[in-house]
Amino acid sequence: MRFRHPDGSTVHLAYCTNVHPAETLDGVLAQLRDHCEPVRRRLGRDRLGIGLWLARDAARSLITDPASLRALRAELDHRGLEVVTLNGFPYEGFGAEEVKYRVYQPDWTRPERLAHTTDLARLLAALLPDDVTDGSVSTLPLAWRTSFDSRAADTARRALRTLAERLDALEELTGKSVRIGLEPEPGCTVETTADAIAPLTAVSSRRIGVCVDTCHLATSFEDPRTALDGLAAVGVPVVKSQLSAALHAEHPHLPEVRAALAAFAEPRFLHQTRTSTAAGLRGTDDLPEALAGRSLPDGAPWRAHFHVPLHTPPAPPLTSTLPVLQDTLGLLLGGPRPRTHHLEVETYTWQALPAAQRPRTRARLADGIAAELTLARDLLTDLGLKELP
């Protein structure tokens, strides 16, 4: 979906396909047919943007077989879909029964991460619509925090500098500009936008910036204005923003609140949980750990890294951090010029929701994704953007 900002520039809204992951090219093509096109039809649009997730094997098959890449581009066109952004955070195995810490491997100290991200940039340059010159790829925020020392930081910094050089060469070759956004996430080396400043000011700000995920921002209790102004003050760009909402528990000391939270403690994804105290941010790596004992103070609200559907907050006594998303979106796009042109709805946890809330059919999932995009569209038009055909 495309929108015209009051300054005349185009803002792109997509939804991320990691909600129905596939590891192979055949699986990606099935996604387009079984999920993406039905969402577009529900919205009544001739064109729908998708934030494509390409696992390592799918990406390599496209890189090594130009005919397959041309066929993917043709299939996108045939189904009324367009790609201006890729989700390059998960490397592989995002559809596994247990993902948890595996999603952070390989990290930016490993050559495989640089090679995969380079592949994604090359693929995106080939997949961009003819009338679009700028693409974006989100990636993990360097590494999970453990065992990341100064030597690892130097290795990651060199990898990002090499990537920036490759992106420069890609633009010279294709005329397409692809930028990479590190996505701050709780528990990682770069947990907050403030954490991103030091590593990113050491590399090319023209090529590498931040992907602001509003669920992650809220989980870490970051103030949106402080976060975005801090990035702007040092020239770190917001390459893209993922529109998502976290799980919020106002009174985690109450037994009924803990019981409600326990319904979201599931075995597939990591649900980092945080609270803001007078002494600073406190947290656990996962929701079950927070619920198991007294490792996390419960005298103030908790927030858990669980991407809940934007249009359907959890039942009381829980709620979502949708207000943080709204505030962030207003700061990104409510001014005279957009701070980013790429937006991506990223609720990948539909099948991890409590059983009664999970969509049981493809049709119900498509209904939910379309409802999320409708909410996002309404937020954008309320800010004065105009939806384009």
Side-chain angles (χ1 to χ4, degrees), residues 25-38 40 46 48 50 52 62 67-83 127:
L25 179 56
D26 285 344
V28 171
L29 295 173
Q31 287 177 351
L32 305 184
R33 179 192 66 234
D34 297 338
H35 298 287
C36 302
E37 185 177 10
R40 178 183 65 77
D46 293 332
L48 175 66
I50 58 172
L52 198 59
L62 290 166
S68 293
L69 180 55
R70 291 192 296 270
L72 174 58
R73 173 67 184 268
E75 188 71 3
L76 289 165
D77 292 341
H78 172 66
R79 300 198 180 277
L81 306 169
E82 67 177 12
V83 176
L127 293 174

PDB file of all heavy atoms in Angstrom, residues 25-38 40 46 48 50 52 62 67-83 127:
ATOM      1  N   LEU A  25      12.047 -21.757  -1.953  1.00  0.00           N
ATOM      2  CA  LEU A  25      11.404 -20.894  -2.929  1.00  0.00           C
ATOM      3  C   LEU A  25       9.994 -21.361  -3.234  1.00  0.00           C
ATOM      4  O   LEU A  25       9.067 -20.540  -3.371  1.00  0.00           O
ATOM      5  CB  LEU A  25      12.245 -20.843  -4.210  1.00  0.00           C
ATOM      6  CG  LEU A  25      11.680 -19.983  -5.339  1.00  0.00           C
ATOM      7  CD1 LEU A  25      11.432 -18.554  -4.880  1.00  0.00           C
ATOM      8  CD2 LEU A  25      12.622 -20.013  -6.539  1.00  0.00           C
ATOM      9  N   ASP A  26       9.787 -22.669  -3.337  1.00  0.00           N
ATOM     10  CA  ASP A  26       8.434 -23.172  -3.566  1.00  0.00           C
ATOM     11  C   ASP A  26       7.494 -22.738  -2.438  1.00  0.00           C
ATOM     12  O   ASP A  26       6.329 -22.403  -2.671  1.00  0.00           O
ATOM     13  CB  ASP A  26       8.442 -24.699  -3.674  1.00  0.00           C
ATOM     14  CG  ASP A  26       9.004 -25.186  -5.003  1.00  0.00           C
ATOM     15  OD1 ASP A  26       9.096 -24.363  -5.946  1.00  0.00           O
ATOM     16  OD2 ASP A  26       9.356 -26.373  -5.092  1.00  0.00           O
ATOM     17  N   GLY A  27       8.006 -22.756  -1.223  1.00  0.00           N
ATOM     18  CA  GLY A  27       7.196 -22.314  -0.094  1.00  0.00           C
ATOM     19  C   GLY A  27       6.857 -20.843  -0.171  1.00  0.00           C
ATOM     20  O   GLY A  27       5.743 -20.426   0.162  1.00  0.00           O
ATOM     21  N   VAL A  28       7.811 -20.024  -0.624  1.00  0.00           N
ATOM     22  CA  VAL A  28       7.554 -18.595  -0.788  1.00  0.00           C
ATOM     23  C   VAL A  28       6.469 -18.365  -1.838  1.00  0.00           C
ATOM     24  O   VAL A  28       5.547 -17.562  -1.650  1.00  0.00           O
ATOM     25  CB  VAL A  28       8.855 -17.860  -1.167  1.00  0.00           C
ATOM     26  CG1 VAL A  28       8.569 -16.413  -1.565  1.00  0.00           C
ATOM     27  CG2 VAL A  28       9.846 -17.906  -0.007  1.00  0.00           C
ATOM     28  N   LEU A  29       6.553 -19.071  -2.946  1.00  0.00           N
ATOM     29  CA  LEU A  29       5.539 -18.921  -3.990  1.00  0.00           C
ATOM     30  C   LEU A  29       4.161 -19.338  -3.481  1.00  0.00           C
ATOM     31  O   LEU A  29       3.144 -18.708  -3.829  1.00  0.00           O
ATOM     32  CB  LEU A  29       5.932 -19.742  -5.215  1.00  0.00           C
ATOM     33  CG  LEU A  29       7.215 -19.299  -5.930  1.00  0.00           C
ATOM     34  CD1 LEU A  29       7.590 -20.294  -7.025  1.00  0.00           C
ATOM     35  CD2 LEU A  29       7.067 -17.899  -6.506  1.00  0.00           C
ATOM     36  N   ALA A  30       4.128 -20.372  -2.645  1.00  0.00           N
ATOM     37  CA  ALA A  30       2.848 -20.787  -2.059  1.00  0.00           C
ATOM     38  C   ALA A  30       2.302 -19.715  -1.119  1.00  0.00           C
ATOM     39  O   ALA A  30       1.088 -19.491  -1.057  1.00  0.00           O
ATOM     40  CB  ALA A  30       3.024 -22.110  -1.320  1.00  0.00           C
ATOM     41  N   GLN A  31       3.173 -19.031  -0.390  1.00  0.00           N
ATOM     42  CA  GLN A  31       2.743 -17.926   0.466  1.00  0.00           C
ATOM     43  C   GLN A  31       2.014 -16.857  -0.339  1.00  0.00           C
ATOM     44  O   GLN A  31       0.966 -16.344   0.076  1.00  0.00           O
ATOM     45  CB  GLN A  31       3.945 -17.265   1.133  1.00  0.00           C
ATOM     46  CG  GLN A  31       4.604 -18.038   2.241  1.00  0.00           C
ATOM     47  CD  GLN A  31       5.827 -17.300   2.760  1.00  0.00           C
ATOM     48  OE1 GLN A  31       6.270 -16.304   2.171  1.00  0.00           O
ATOM     49  NE2 GLN A  31       6.379 -17.783   3.848  1.00  0.00           N
ATOM     50  N   LEU A  32       2.592 -16.505  -1.457  1.00  0.00           N
ATOM     51  CA  LEU A  32       2.005 -15.445  -2.275  1.00  0.00           C
ATOM     52  C   LEU A  32       0.600 -15.830  -2.713  1.00  0.00           C
ATOM     53  O   LEU A  32      -0.323 -15.002  -2.700  1.00  0.00           O
ATOM     54  CB  LEU A  32       2.882 -15.173  -3.497  1.00  0.00           C
ATOM     55  CG  LEU A  32       4.356 -14.846  -3.245  1.00  0.00           C
ATOM     56  CD1 LEU A  32       5.050 -14.502  -4.555  1.00  0.00           C
ATOM     57  CD2 LEU A  32       4.505 -13.717  -2.234  1.00  0.00           C
ATOM     58  N   ARG A  33       0.436 -17.099  -3.079  1.00  0.00           N
ATOM     59  CA  ARG A  33      -0.860 -17.584  -3.564  1.00  0.00           C
ATOM     60  C   ARG A  33      -1.867 -17.757  -2.426  1.00  0.00           C
ATOM     61  O   ARG A  33      -3.028 -17.333  -2.551  1.00  0.00           O
ATOM     62  CB  ARG A  33      -0.648 -18.918  -4.279  1.00  0.00           C
ATOM     63  CG  ARG A  33      -1.934 -19.551  -4.816  1.00  0.00           C
ATOM     64  CD  ARG A  33      -1.706 -20.992  -5.249  1.00  0.00           C
ATOM     65  NE  ARG A  33      -1.381 -21.856  -4.111  1.00  0.00           N
ATOM     66  CZ  ARG A  33      -0.293 -22.630  -4.048  1.00  0.00           C
ATOM     67  NH1 ARG A  33       0.587 -22.650  -5.042  1.00  0.00           N
ATOM     68  NH2 ARG A  33      -0.074 -23.394  -2.975  1.00  0.00           N
ATOM     69  N   ASP A  34      -1.427 -18.390  -1.340  1.00  0.00           N
ATOM     70  CA  ASP A  34      -2.360 -18.818  -0.300  1.00  0.00           C
ATOM     71  C   ASP A  34      -2.642 -17.748   0.748  1.00  0.00           C
ATOM     72  O   ASP A  34      -3.672 -17.817   1.436  1.00  0.00           O
ATOM     73  CB  ASP A  34      -1.815 -20.059   0.414  1.00  0.00           C
ATOM     74  CG  ASP A  34      -1.689 -21.253  -0.515  1.00  0.00           C
ATOM     75  OD1 ASP A  34      -2.379 -21.282  -1.552  1.00  0.00           O
ATOM     76  OD2 ASP A  34      -0.881 -22.166  -0.206  1.00  0.00           O
ATOM     77  N   HIS A  35      -1.733 -16.784   0.900  1.00  0.00           N
ATOM     78  CA  HIS A  35      -1.887 -15.812   1.979  1.00  0.00           C
ATOM     79  C   HIS A  35      -1.893 -14.358   1.492  1.00  0.00           C
ATOM     80  O   HIS A  35      -2.808 -13.603   1.806  1.00  0.00           O
ATOM     81  CB  HIS A  35      -0.770 -15.997   3.009  1.00  0.00           C
ATOM     82  CG  HIS A  35      -0.767 -17.335   3.666  1.00  0.00           C
ATOM     83  ND1 HIS A  35      -1.702 -17.716   4.610  1.00  0.00           N
ATOM     84  CD2 HIS A  35       0.060 -18.395   3.515  1.00  0.00           C
ATOM     85  CE1 HIS A  35      -1.448 -18.940   5.011  1.00  0.00           C
ATOM     86  NE2 HIS A  35      -0.384 -19.381   4.370  1.00  0.00           N
ATOM     87  N   CYS A  36      -0.849 -13.987   0.743  1.00  0.00           N
ATOM     88  CA  CYS A  36      -0.675 -12.569   0.408  1.00  0.00           C
ATOM     89  C   CYS A  36      -1.765 -12.057  -0.536  1.00  0.00           C
ATOM     90  O   CYS A  36      -2.361 -10.991  -0.283  1.00  0.00           O
ATOM     91  CB  CYS A  36       0.704 -12.342  -0.199  1.00  0.00           C
ATOM     92  SG  CYS A  36       2.064 -12.862   0.877  1.00  0.00           S
ATOM     93  N   GLU A  37      -2.016 -12.785  -1.605  1.00  0.00           N
ATOM     94  CA  GLU A  37      -3.064 -12.340  -2.529  1.00  0.00           C
ATOM     95  C   GLU A  37      -4.436 -12.302  -1.860  1.00  0.00           C
ATOM     96  O   GLU A  37      -5.188 -11.335  -2.060  1.00  0.00           O
ATOM     97  CB  GLU A  37      -3.099 -13.215  -3.782  1.00  0.00           C
ATOM     98  CG  GLU A  37      -4.096 -12.710  -4.815  1.00  0.00           C
ATOM     99  CD  GLU A  37      -4.093 -13.531  -6.094  1.00  0.00           C
ATOM    100  OE1 GLU A  37      -3.446 -14.607  -6.118  1.00  0.00           O
ATOM    101  OE2 GLU A  37      -4.741 -13.105  -7.059  1.00  0.00           O
ATOM    102  N   PRO A  38      -4.815 -13.298  -1.043  1.00  0.00           N
ATOM    103  CA  PRO A  38      -6.100 -13.182  -0.341  1.00  0.00           C
ATOM    104  C   PRO A  38      -6.200 -11.954   0.568  1.00  0.00           C
ATOM    105  O   PRO A  38      -7.270 -11.350   0.676  1.00  0.00           O
ATOM    106  CB  PRO A  38      -6.173 -14.484   0.465  1.00  0.00           C
ATOM    107  CG  PRO A  38      -5.389 -15.465  -0.347  1.00  0.00           C
ATOM    108  CD  PRO A  38      -4.242 -14.664  -0.905  1.00  0.00           C
ATOM    109  N   ARG A  40      -4.704  -9.078   0.019  1.00  0.00           N
ATOM    110  CA  ARG A  40      -4.914  -7.956  -0.906  1.00  0.00           C
ATOM    111  C   ARG A  40      -6.372  -7.873  -1.354  1.00  0.00           C
ATOM    112  O   ARG A  40      -6.966  -6.792  -1.382  1.00  0.00           O
ATOM    113  CB  ARG A  40      -3.999  -8.099  -2.131  1.00  0.00           C
ATOM    114  CG  ARG A  40      -4.208  -6.990  -3.168  1.00  0.00           C
ATOM    115  CD  ARG A  40      -3.362  -7.177  -4.394  1.00  0.00           C
ATOM    116  NE  ARG A  40      -3.696  -8.372  -5.165  1.00  0.00           N
ATOM    117  CZ  ARG A  40      -4.757  -8.457  -5.977  1.00  0.00           C
ATOM    118  NH1 ARG A  40      -5.611  -7.449  -6.086  1.00  0.00           N
ATOM    119  NH2 ARG A  40      -4.972  -9.580  -6.651  1.00  0.00           N
ATOM    120  N   ASP A  46      -5.681  -2.995  -5.637  1.00  0.00           N
ATOM    121  CA  ASP A  46      -5.028  -3.587  -6.804  1.00  0.00           C
ATOM    122  C   ASP A  46      -3.577  -3.954  -6.507  1.00  0.00           C
ATOM    123  O   ASP A  46      -2.980  -4.760  -7.227  1.00  0.00           O
ATOM    124  CB  ASP A  46      -5.066  -2.617  -7.987  1.00  0.00           C
ATOM    125  CG  ASP A  46      -6.471  -2.382  -8.502  1.00  0.00           C
ATOM    126  OD1 ASP A  46      -7.307  -3.289  -8.340  1.00  0.00           O
ATOM    127  OD2 ASP A  46      -6.729  -1.297  -9.038  1.00  0.00           O
ATOM    128  N   LEU A  48      -0.645  -4.555  -3.161  1.00  0.00           N
ATOM    129  CA  LEU A  48      -0.357  -4.700  -1.741  1.00  0.00           C
ATOM    130  C   LEU A  48       1.139  -4.873  -1.546  1.00  0.00           C
ATOM    131  O   LEU A  48       1.776  -5.687  -2.224  1.00  0.00           O
ATOM    132  CB  LEU A  48      -1.087  -5.921  -1.163  1.00  0.00           C
ATOM    133  CG  LEU A  48      -0.770  -6.259   0.306  1.00  0.00           C
ATOM    134  CD1 LEU A  48      -1.281  -5.161   1.232  1.00  0.00           C
ATOM    135  CD2 LEU A  48      -1.367  -7.611   0.706  1.00  0.00           C
ATOM    136  N   ILE A  50       4.314  -6.199   0.533  1.00  0.00           N
ATOM    137  CA  ILE A  50       4.668  -7.235   1.500  1.00  0.00           C
ATOM    138  C   ILE A  50       6.136  -7.071   1.889  1.00  0.00           C
ATOM    139  O   ILE A  50       6.985  -6.730   1.062  1.00  0.00           O
ATOM    140  CB  ILE A  50       4.421  -8.663   0.963  1.00  0.00           C
ATOM    141  CG1 ILE A  50       5.202  -8.933  -0.322  1.00  0.00           C
ATOM    142  CG2 ILE A  50       2.930  -8.903   0.770  1.00  0.00           C
ATOM    143  CD1 ILE A  50       5.137 -10.390  -0.779  1.00  0.00           C
ATOM    144  N   LEU A  52       8.911  -9.111   2.557  1.00  0.00           N
ATOM    145  CA  LEU A  52       9.211 -10.517   2.272  1.00  0.00           C
ATOM    146  C   LEU A  52      10.299 -11.041   3.201  1.00  0.00           C
ATOM    147  O   LEU A  52      11.321 -10.375   3.422  1.00  0.00           O
ATOM    148  CB  LEU A  52       9.653 -10.642   0.820  1.00  0.00           C
ATOM    149  CG  LEU A  52       9.625 -12.024   0.161  1.00  0.00           C
ATOM    150  CD1 LEU A  52       8.219 -12.616   0.183  1.00  0.00           C
ATOM    151  CD2 LEU A  52      10.122 -11.907  -1.284  1.00  0.00           C
ATOM    152  N   LEU A  62      17.614 -18.260  -5.248  1.00  0.00           N
ATOM    153  CA  LEU A  62      17.315 -17.125  -6.132  1.00  0.00           C
ATOM    154  C   LEU A  62      18.596 -16.481  -6.651  1.00  0.00           C
ATOM    155  O   LEU A  62      18.669 -16.061  -7.817  1.00  0.00           O
ATOM    156  CB  LEU A  62      16.467 -16.093  -5.388  1.00  0.00           C
ATOM    157  CG  LEU A  62      15.034 -16.508  -5.078  1.00  0.00           C
ATOM    158  CD1 LEU A  62      14.420 -15.562  -4.054  1.00  0.00           C
ATOM    159  CD2 LEU A  62      14.188 -16.533  -6.353  1.00  0.00           C
ATOM    160  N   ALA A  67      16.824 -17.251 -13.445  1.00  0.00           N
ATOM    161  CA  ALA A  67      15.497 -17.533 -13.997  1.00  0.00           C
ATOM    162  C   ALA A  67      14.457 -17.625 -12.879  1.00  0.00           C
ATOM    163  O   ALA A  67      13.316 -17.165 -13.038  1.00  0.00           O
ATOM    164  CB  ALA A  67      15.523 -18.830 -14.802  1.00  0.00           C
ATOM    165  N   SER A  68      14.848 -18.208 -11.759  1.00  0.00           N
ATOM    166  CA  SER A  68      13.932 -18.284 -10.619  1.00  0.00           C
ATOM    167  C   SER A  68      13.625 -16.899 -10.068  1.00  0.00           C
ATOM    168  O   SER A  68      12.490 -16.616  -9.666  1.00  0.00           O
ATOM    169  CB  SER A  68      14.532 -19.161  -9.512  1.00  0.00           C
ATOM    170  OG  SER A  68      14.619 -20.505  -9.929  1.00  0.00           O
ATOM    171  N   LEU A  69      14.618 -16.036 -10.056  1.00  0.00           N
ATOM    172  CA  LEU A  69      14.395 -14.673  -9.585  1.00  0.00           C
ATOM    173  C   LEU A  69      13.435 -13.930 -10.508  1.00  0.00           C
ATOM    174  O   LEU A  69      12.527 -13.228 -10.044  1.00  0.00           O
ATOM    175  CB  LEU A  69      15.735 -13.938  -9.483  1.00  0.00           C
ATOM    176  CG  LEU A  69      15.692 -12.490  -8.991  1.00  0.00           C
ATOM    177  CD1 LEU A  69      14.991 -12.387  -7.645  1.00  0.00           C
ATOM    178  CD2 LEU A  69      17.107 -11.932  -8.917  1.00  0.00           C
ATOM    179  N   ARG A  70      13.602 -14.113 -11.792  1.00  0.00           N
ATOM    180  CA  ARG A  70      12.670 -13.484 -12.734  1.00  0.00           C
ATOM    181  C   ARG A  70      11.258 -14.042 -12.557  1.00  0.00           C
ATOM    182  O   ARG A  70      10.263 -13.310 -12.638  1.00  0.00           O
ATOM    183  CB  ARG A  70      13.150 -13.689 -14.173  1.00  0.00           C
ATOM    184  CG  ARG A  70      14.418 -12.909 -14.521  1.00  0.00           C
ATOM    185  CD  ARG A  70      14.680 -12.921 -16.018  1.00  0.00           C
ATOM    186  NE  ARG A  70      14.947 -14.278 -16.512  1.00  0.00           N
ATOM    187  CZ  ARG A  70      16.163 -14.814 -16.575  1.00  0.00           C
ATOM    188  NH1 ARG A  70      17.222 -14.124 -16.140  1.00  0.00           N
ATOM    189  NH2 ARG A  70      16.347 -16.038 -17.060  1.00  0.00           N
ATOM    190  N   ALA A  71      11.172 -15.337 -12.282  1.00  0.00           N
ATOM    191  CA  ALA A  71       9.862 -15.956 -12.077  1.00  0.00           C
ATOM    192  C   ALA A  71       9.200 -15.425 -10.809  1.00  0.00           C
ATOM    193  O   ALA A  71       7.981 -15.211 -10.777  1.00  0.00           O
ATOM    194  CB  ALA A  71      10.008 -17.471 -12.003  1.00  0.00           C
ATOM    195  N   LEU A  72       9.974 -15.191  -9.747  1.00  0.00           N
ATOM    196  CA  LEU A  72       9.421 -14.625  -8.521  1.00  0.00           C
ATOM    197  C   LEU A  72       8.903 -13.211  -8.774  1.00  0.00           C
ATOM    198  O   LEU A  72       7.801 -12.852  -8.335  1.00  0.00           O
ATOM    199  CB  LEU A  72      10.473 -14.616  -7.417  1.00  0.00           C
ATOM    200  CG  LEU A  72      10.070 -13.917  -6.111  1.00  0.00           C
ATOM    201  CD1 LEU A  72       8.819 -14.558  -5.512  1.00  0.00           C
ATOM    202  CD2 LEU A  72      11.224 -13.938  -5.112  1.00  0.00           C
ATOM    203  N   ARG A  73       9.683 -12.437  -9.494  1.00  0.00           N
ATOM    204  CA  ARG A  73       9.252 -11.068  -9.818  1.00  0.00           C
ATOM    205  C   ARG A  73       7.945 -11.106 -10.631  1.00  0.00           C
ATOM    206  O   ARG A  73       7.008 -10.331 -10.375  1.00  0.00           O
ATOM    207  CB  ARG A  73      10.358 -10.358 -10.603  1.00  0.00           C
ATOM    208  CG  ARG A  73       9.998  -8.992 -11.154  1.00  0.00           C
ATOM    209  CD  ARG A  73       9.782  -7.969 -10.044  1.00  0.00           C
ATOM    210  NE  ARG A  73       9.354  -6.688 -10.593  1.00  0.00           N
ATOM    211  CZ  ARG A  73      10.185  -5.706 -10.928  1.00  0.00           C
ATOM    212  NH1 ARG A  73      11.498  -5.859 -10.776  1.00  0.00           N
ATOM    213  NH2 ARG A  73       9.725  -4.567 -11.398  1.00  0.00           N
ATOM    214  N   ALA A  74       7.846 -12.020 -11.569  1.00  0.00           N
ATOM    215  CA  ALA A  74       6.635 -12.136 -12.382  1.00  0.00           C
ATOM    216  C   ALA A  74       5.448 -12.576 -11.532  1.00  0.00           C
ATOM    217  O   ALA A  74       4.314 -12.115 -11.731  1.00  0.00           O
ATOM    218  CB  ALA A  74       6.866 -13.124 -13.527  1.00  0.00           C
ATOM    219  N   GLU A  75       5.694 -13.485 -10.585  1.00  0.00           N
ATOM    220  CA  GLU A  75       4.603 -13.955  -9.716  1.00  0.00           C
ATOM    221  C   GLU A  75       4.096 -12.825  -8.821  1.00  0.00           C
ATOM    222  O   GLU A  75       2.887 -12.715  -8.589  1.00  0.00           O
ATOM    223  CB  GLU A  75       5.099 -15.132  -8.877  1.00  0.00           C
ATOM    224  CG  GLU A  75       4.027 -15.838  -8.070  1.00  0.00           C
ATOM    225  CD  GLU A  75       3.055 -16.644  -8.910  1.00  0.00           C
ATOM    226  OE1 GLU A  75       3.249 -16.714 -10.154  1.00  0.00           O
ATOM    227  OE2 GLU A  75       2.105 -17.199  -8.337  1.00  0.00           O
ATOM    228  N   LEU A  76       4.995 -12.004  -8.313  1.00  0.00           N
ATOM    229  CA  LEU A  76       4.577 -10.851  -7.530  1.00  0.00           C
ATOM    230  C   LEU A  76       3.677  -9.931  -8.357  1.00  0.00           C
ATOM    231  O   LEU A  76       2.612  -9.499  -7.892  1.00  0.00           O
ATOM    232  CB  LEU A  76       5.808 -10.079  -7.034  1.00  0.00           C
ATOM    233  CG  LEU A  76       6.647 -10.755  -5.947  1.00  0.00           C
ATOM    234  CD1 LEU A  76       8.000 -10.071  -5.817  1.00  0.00           C
ATOM    235  CD2 LEU A  76       5.915 -10.733  -4.603  1.00  0.00           C
ATOM    236  N   ASP A  77       4.110  -9.651  -9.560  1.00  0.00           N
ATOM    237  CA  ASP A  77       3.313  -8.784 -10.431  1.00  0.00           C
ATOM    238  C   ASP A  77       1.945  -9.406 -10.722  1.00  0.00           C
ATOM    239  O   ASP A  77       0.914  -8.724 -10.693  1.00  0.00           O
ATOM    240  CB  ASP A  77       4.059  -8.533 -11.741  1.00  0.00           C
ATOM    241  CG  ASP A  77       5.322  -7.695 -11.554  1.00  0.00           C
ATOM    242  OD1 ASP A  77       5.430  -7.022 -10.504  1.00  0.00           O
ATOM    243  OD2 ASP A  77       6.197  -7.739 -12.440  1.00  0.00           O
ATOM    244  N   HIS A  78       1.949 -10.698 -10.994  1.00  0.00           N
ATOM    245  CA  HIS A  78       0.704 -11.398 -11.332  1.00  0.00           C
ATOM    246  C   HIS A  78      -0.301 -11.342 -10.188  1.00  0.00           C
ATOM    247  O   HIS A  78      -1.522 -11.231 -10.426  1.00  0.00           O
ATOM    248  CB  HIS A  78       1.026 -12.849 -11.679  1.00  0.00           C
ATOM    249  CG  HIS A  78      -0.174 -13.716 -11.857  1.00  0.00           C
ATOM    250  ND1 HIS A  78      -1.088 -13.558 -12.877  1.00  0.00           N
ATOM    251  CD2 HIS A  78      -0.629 -14.780 -11.112  1.00  0.00           C
ATOM    252  CE1 HIS A  78      -2.042 -14.456 -12.770  1.00  0.00           C
ATOM    253  NE2 HIS A  78      -1.789 -15.210 -11.709  1.00  0.00           N
ATOM    254  N   ARG A  79       0.178 -11.386  -8.958  1.00  0.00           N
ATOM    255  CA  ARG A  79      -0.725 -11.430  -7.806  1.00  0.00           C
ATOM    256  C   ARG A  79      -0.966 -10.064  -7.191  1.00  0.00           C
ATOM    257  O   ARG A  79      -1.582  -9.947  -6.123  1.00  0.00           O
ATOM    258  CB  ARG A  79      -0.198 -12.418  -6.771  1.00  0.00           C
ATOM    259  CG  ARG A  79      -0.083 -13.830  -7.345  1.00  0.00           C
ATOM    260  CD  ARG A  79       0.004 -14.897  -6.296  1.00  0.00           C
ATOM    261  NE  ARG A  79       0.117 -16.224  -6.922  1.00  0.00           N
ATOM    262  CZ  ARG A  79      -0.911 -16.940  -7.374  1.00  0.00           C
ATOM    263  NH1 ARG A  79      -2.139 -16.447  -7.280  1.00  0.00           N
ATOM    264  NH2 ARG A  79      -0.717 -18.130  -7.924  1.00  0.00           N
ATOM    265  N   GLY A  80      -0.498  -9.003  -7.860  1.00  0.00           N
ATOM    266  CA  GLY A  80      -0.750  -7.652  -7.362  1.00  0.00           C
ATOM    267  C   GLY A  80       0.030  -7.320  -6.108  1.00  0.00           C
ATOM    268  O   GLY A  80      -0.458  -6.585  -5.242  1.00  0.00           O
ATOM    269  N   LEU A  81       1.254  -7.839  -6.002  1.00  0.00           N
ATOM    270  CA  LEU A  81       2.079  -7.649  -4.820  1.00  0.00           C
ATOM    271  C   LEU A  81       3.355  -6.908  -5.184  1.00  0.00           C
ATOM    272  O   LEU A  81       3.866  -7.050  -6.304  1.00  0.00           O
ATOM    273  CB  LEU A  81       2.430  -9.001  -4.199  1.00  0.00           C
ATOM    274  CG  LEU A  81       1.248  -9.915  -3.884  1.00  0.00           C
ATOM    275  CD1 LEU A  81       1.741 -11.314  -3.520  1.00  0.00           C
ATOM    276  CD2 LEU A  81       0.395  -9.341  -2.761  1.00  0.00           C
ATOM    277  N   GLU A  82       3.867  -6.120  -4.252  1.00  0.00           N
ATOM    278  CA  GLU A  82       5.138  -5.444  -4.488  1.00  0.00           C
ATOM    279  C   GLU A  82       6.006  -5.512  -3.236  1.00  0.00           C
ATOM    280  O   GLU A  82       5.505  -5.625  -2.116  1.00  0.00           O
ATOM    281  CB  GLU A  82       4.924  -3.996  -4.917  1.00  0.00           C
ATOM    282  CG  GLU A  82       4.335  -3.072  -3.878  1.00  0.00           C
ATOM    283  CD  GLU A  82       4.233  -1.641  -4.383  1.00  0.00           C
ATOM    284  OE1 GLU A  82       4.398  -1.406  -5.603  1.00  0.00           O
ATOM    285  OE2 GLU A  82       3.990  -0.748  -3.548  1.00  0.00           O
ATOM    286  N   VAL A  83       7.308  -5.453  -3.456  1.00  0.00           N
ATOM    287  CA  VAL A  83       8.283  -5.591  -2.371  1.00  0.00           C
ATOM    288  C   VAL A  83       9.241  -4.411  -2.403  1.00  0.00           C
ATOM    289  O   VAL A  83       9.941  -4.204  -3.397  1.00  0.00           O
ATOM    290  CB  VAL A  83       9.085  -6.907  -2.504  1.00  0.00           C
ATOM    291  CG1 VAL A  83      10.155  -6.989  -1.423  1.00  0.00           C
ATOM    292  CG2 VAL A  83       8.158  -8.114  -2.428  1.00  0.00           C
ATOM    293  N   LEU A 127      14.003  -6.987  -7.157  1.00  0.00           N
ATOM    294  CA  LEU A 127      12.566  -7.133  -6.933  1.00  0.00           C
ATOM    295  C   LEU A 127      11.837  -5.799  -6.806  1.00  0.00           C
ATOM    296  O   LEU A 127      10.605  -5.760  -6.902  1.00  0.00           O
ATOM    297  CB  LEU A 127      12.311  -7.959  -5.666  1.00  0.00           C
ATOM    298  CG  LEU A 127      12.723  -9.426  -5.717  1.00  0.00           C
ATOM    299  CD1 LEU A 127      12.549 -10.066  -4.335  1.00  0.00           C
ATOM    300  CD2 LEU A 127      11.916 -10.195  -6.765  1.00  0.00           C
TER     301      LEU A 127
END
